[in-house]
Amino acid sequence: MSARKKKYKLLLINPVGKRKAGLVLSHESIYPPMALGVIAALTPEHWEVEILDENFTPFEFKDADLVGFTSLTSTVTRCYDIAREYRKNKIPTVIGGIHASMLPGEASRYVDTVVVGEAEDTWGQVIADFEKNRLQQFYRSKLPSMDRSVSPRIDLYHPDYNFGSVQTTRGCPMKCEFCSVHTFNGSKYRLRPVDRAVEDFIAIDKDFVYLVDDNFAGYSKASRRHALEFLKGITERKSTKFWAGSTSMNIAGDEELLKYMQLSGCKMVFLGIESELVDQLQQANKNVNLKIGVDHFAEVYRKIHAHQISIMGAFIFGLDNDTPETMRRRTDYILDSELDMMQVTVLTPLPGTLLYDRFKEEGRLLYTNYPDDWDRYNYIDLVFKPQKMSEEEFNAAAVENWERMYNLKNIKRKFLQTLKLTKNAETATFALSSNIQFHNFFLNEFADPADILTGINSLLKPK
């Protein structure tokens, strides 16, 4: 008879930055912590695993044998603060995620162990070394095959998340200046086994799912075929869930893929448009959009709408050559376009990006008291010197444009436009809800989508 293994407790912590800024809009729009769900799934059965999620529960010290963190740049300062509490109590701490992977030397000053890269081929060794009392300071992962991917422990997520999330691919061959995905996840698409991704989608007990891939359709024949098989798999299982995901404008040229996106329940695609100006797209290395051509963006929107799918257009304020006037014109473009949802954030030079390296070399970073200043790197605060305006001019222009963009009059108008273009009330209502979340965040005002929809319906009634 084999000896019974000792029981251990693993506490995984999902931190929230002190400023509560960035893309966290409300409980209706935040993502479940998939990275921690994956770590939990990779942990042996003789370990008890708990996720402490600050999106819902403020941190209070809990005893554990090992404490793990994952973190974005804007939340890493909070990670370090919590880790300090455990190190004072002689409880080992380990951190992974994109920020720690970009700056492992920094992370190692605040946490006992740093996992650099993806966890699938290192976490088992971390656990084995812990049990033998010989944890290393660093574990470095190569890019593991997606054949080794596991289904996250969604049973450990807080029940109040409004939607679930699924990953079907990792990596991106594009090298946009402001993005670190190709550095962290590699510059090639790695495709997860379709049947596993479909099972994860079906297993989610929410009505809405977000595909967390950076581009679920990709650019290659292989990635396109993989996406199509995934969508057909969902359709064949007769799923009634709605879903959304990030992709690129090249999706508009693929009628078959759009058809199965619609059949499988897609209600929104997230397109990183960034700017309507060619010189800014060139500076940002946004080559896909340049290939499509700015003059053809409207055609892309129309082809997607024809399949009853709405579009969230993501734009950036603060690109080189931006002035208060170009920011106003960008808002004009967004409001006049057939885009349904509007996300406009501040250019943010994150560690691991070409942009960060360039701004550092040019001496344009404003906040460099790290790690305390990392919570400013949240897509809302300006953390660099703009090229053609003062910081005060930029901040005033950003607030002015957010107020224009997210005022309720324009949100109502966008809803009616989406309803007309997609001819689908569910799609239009989904877009309305998303825009109101942005209204609530950027303007710090609470508006209820249901109340606004009631008002819109009163406008639609015949006099």
Side-chain angles (χ1 to χ4, degrees):
M1 181 179 295
S2 60
R4 180 177 297 176
K5 287 193 174 183
K6 179 181 176 180
K7 295 285 188 180
Y8 295 96
K9 171 68 178 290
L10 171 64
L11 179 64
L12 299 173
I13 298 178
N14 186 35
V16 169
K18 295 177 182 176
R19 293 173 179 265
K20 291 283 284 187
L23 297 182
V24 177
L25 308 184
S26 72
H27 286 168
E28 284 73 35
S29 57
I30 52 179
Y31 294 81
M34 179 179 284
L36 298 184
V38 168
I39 290 295
L42 293 169
T43 303
E45 291 184 0
H46 61 284
W47 282 72
E48 176 193 351
V49 184
E50 178 184 355
I51 294 178
L52 191 162
D53 192 339
E54 281 205 305
N55 281 320
F56 299 94
T57 306
F59 170 75
E60 290 184 3
F61 186 90
K62 290 187 174 186
D63 197 17
D65 296 295
L66 179 65
V67 177
F69 303 88
T70 188
S71 180
L72 302 172
T73 294
S74 62
T75 59
V76 76
T77 309
R78 178 63 174 158
C79 274
Y80 296 159
D81 288 344
I82 296 173
R84 192 175 293 116
E85 295 299 311
Y86 283 97
R87 296 182 90 182
K88 284 193 303 188
N89 287 276
K90 308 297 183 185
I91 296 174
T93 54
V94 55
I95 191 170
I98 194 163
H99 182 90
S101 295
M102 298 300 104
L103 297 175
E106 174 196 277
S108 69
R109 297 198 298 271
Y110 303 96
V111 177
D112 298 304
T113 295
V114 181
V115 175
V116 178
E118 299 173 11
E120 279 85 354
D121 63 351
T122 54
W123 187 248
Q125 190 62 51
V126 171
I127 291 295
D129 286 352
F130 171 86
E131 292 182 5
K132 295 174 183 176
N133 198 29
R134 61 182 191 194
L135 266 180
Q136 302 174 39
Q137 189 174 13
F138 298 103
Y139 294 83
R140 299 182 186 275
S141 171
K142 296 179 181 178
L143 293 174
S145 166
M146 290 296 280
D147 289 341
R148 299 186 60 186
S149 69
V150 297
S151 299
R153 287 278 307 275
I154 62 176
D155 59 298
L156 297 179
Y157 296 161
H158 195 282
D160 289 346
Y161 278 105
N162 273 25
F163 60 89
S165 54
V166 170
Q167 186 172 57
T168 73
T169 68
R170 288 183 194 162
C172 181
M174 302 296 107
K175 294 186 177 180
C176 299
E177 188 185 34
F178 51 80
C179 184
S180 57
V181 168
H182 59 276
T183 306
F184 182 60
N185 294 122
S187 58
K188 294 182 179 179
Y189 286 116
R190 288 173 293 139
L191 310 177
R192 192 158 178 244
V194 170
D195 56 348
R196 206 170 303 166
V198 170
E199 289 302 326
D200 283 359
F201 187 99
I202 299 300
I204 290 172
D205 62 352
K206 308 289 183 181
D207 294 329
F208 178 70
V209 178
Y210 196 90
L211 303 187
V212 299
D213 309 38
D214 295 285
N215 184 342
F216 68 83
Y219 305 104
S220 68
K221 291 181 180 178
S223 60
R224 184 259 182 195
R225 184 168 57 250
H226 178 270
L228 187 61
E229 290 175 1
F230 172 72
L231 299 177
K232 286 182 176 180
I234 296 172
T235 305
E236 290 166 2
R237 296 288 292 270
K238 302 187 185 305
S239 168
T240 58
K241 299 183 182 75
F242 295 148
W243 65 271
S246 300
T247 186
S248 289
M249 289 193 181
N250 64 316
I251 196 79
D254 195 324
E255 279 294 318
E256 185 180 20
L257 204 55
L258 286 169
K259 169 189 170 183
Y260 276 97
M261 287 168 62
Q262 179 180 353
L263 289 173
S264 60
C266 182
K267 292 299 172 187
M268 183 272 280
V269 291
F270 179 101
L271 297 182
I273 301 168
E274 325 309 354
S275 174
E276 77 290 358
L277 299 177
V278 171
D279 62 336
Q280 292 185 333
L281 295 176
Q282 290 172 335
Q283 176 68 63
N285 293 335
K286 197 72 181 186
N287 294 322
V288 175
N289 293 8
L290 289 166
K291 186 176 180 181
I292 295 289
V294 171
D295 293 340
H296 296 284
F297 285 4
E299 182 182 354
V300 169
Y301 308 154
R302 285 194 291 273
K303 288 182 177 180
I304 294 172
H305 283 143
H307 291 270
Q308 301 183 347
I309 298 168
S310 64
I311 304 163
M312 180 179 288
F315 291 81
I316 297 173
F317 284 155
L319 292 161
D320 280 352
N321 295 332
D322 255 344
T323 64
E325 180 56 32
T326 64
M327 292 166 69
R328 280 190 286 271
R329 289 201 299 266
R330 185 153 309 125
T331 299
D332 292 340
Y333 171 84
I334 294 167
L335 291 174
D336 293 341
S337 74
E338 293 185 349
L339 292 167
D340 308 287
M341 288 155 281
M342 308 165 283
Q343 177 186 291
V344 184
T345 54
V346 175
L347 183 68
T348 302
L350 297 175
T353 65
L354 298 171
L355 182 68
Y356 181 86
D357 294 341
R358 177 164 71 88
F359 280 3
K360 183 177 181 181
E361 183 179 341
E362 294 172 356
R364 292 173 61 186
L365 297 174
L366 293 171
Y367 298 99
T368 57
N369 180 28
Y370 306 133
D372 289 349
D373 281 342
W374 285 131
D375 62 359
R376 296 178 182 271
Y377 287 63
N378 51 44
Y379 296 96
I380 302 301
D381 291 341
L382 180 68
V383 297
F384 67 94
K385 298 174 185 176
Q387 191 178 60
K388 293 190 174 182
M389 56 187 143
S390 69
E391 299 148 46
E392 293 75 18
E393 288 174 318
F394 175 89
N395 287 324
V399 170
E400 172 196 332
N401 284 283
W402 285 329
E403 287 177 345
R404 282 183 61 208
M405 200 176 310
Y406 298 117
N407 72 55
L408 295 180
K409 180 180 178 181
N410 280 326
I411 288 176
K412 291 177 183 179
R413 185 172 61 80
K414 282 289 185 182
F415 168 81
L416 295 174
Q417 175 181 280
T418 303
L419 191 60
K420 177 181 177 181
L421 294 172
T422 66
K423 299 178 176 60
N424 188 290
E426 290 172 333
T427 299
T429 304
F430 176 86
L432 170 70
S433 179
S434 295
N435 278 332
I436 294 174
Q437 296 299 333
F438 286 116
H439 165 94
N440 291 341
F441 175 69
F442 284 100
L443 304 189
N444 293 312
E445 299 175 4
F446 178 77
D448 191 321
D451 290 343
I452 292 180
L453 190 55
T454 299
I456 292 172
N457 286 335
S458 69
L459 295 175
L460 298 176
K461 290 179 181 178
K463 302 296 183 184

